Amino acid sequence: MAKKRIATVWLCGCSGCHMSFLDLDDRLIDLAAMADVVASPIVDVKDFPKCDIGLVEGGVANEENLEVLLKLRAASDTLVSLGDCAGFGCVPMLRNQFSNQDVLDRAYIDVESTAFGAVPTIEVPQLLPKVKPIHEHVKVDAWIPGCPPSADRIWKAVGALLRGEVADGDTLEYD
Ligand code: SF4
């Protein structure tokens, strides 16, 4: 049987969900026998190859996040929210109570550590008006909840996805 293809990205998240994925430890060797990871945040992929499963960490906060999400949606047979930021916004949505200008001023000007003195105007993706979970931009087929989801939960969820045991809209909340 042909190996399945998995792609992963992180958008506006802390990378904790991907760290949990890496906590699969030696199970990553078992995963490699079942699937090829054709894209991940450690490889700067501009265009995603076709894949069976796309895993998305993080909310959608800026124009670059949205572009990446749309590309992965188009490339993936099954798109999965990995963690609570992708699933319902969670931590990055805390930004939504402030204006974008206030957020940028706090990050680049009114900051204790490094004073840039100005908000950069190039090479920084434009913030979207609000941070949103990914299902508010694209169709999402399943969600692995948690902040972050545990490695055990990810393992069971990815196994079910690879075996085709997941129905449309499932929440993959394995203990
Ligand atoms: Fe980080 Fe939690 Fe968001 Fe995952 S769900 S990206 S661990 S804050």
Side-chain angles (χ1 to χ4, degrees), residues 12-17 57-58 82-86 90-92 146-149:
C12 187
C14 74
S15 79
C17 291
E57 169 188 324
L82 175 62
D84 288 350
C85 291
C90 195
V91 175
C147 180

Side-chain angles (χ1 to χ4, degrees), residues 38-50:
V38 296
S40 76
I42 60 171
V43 180
D44 190 17
V45 172
K46 300 299 183 199
D47 291 298
F48 294 101
K50 285 295 292 177

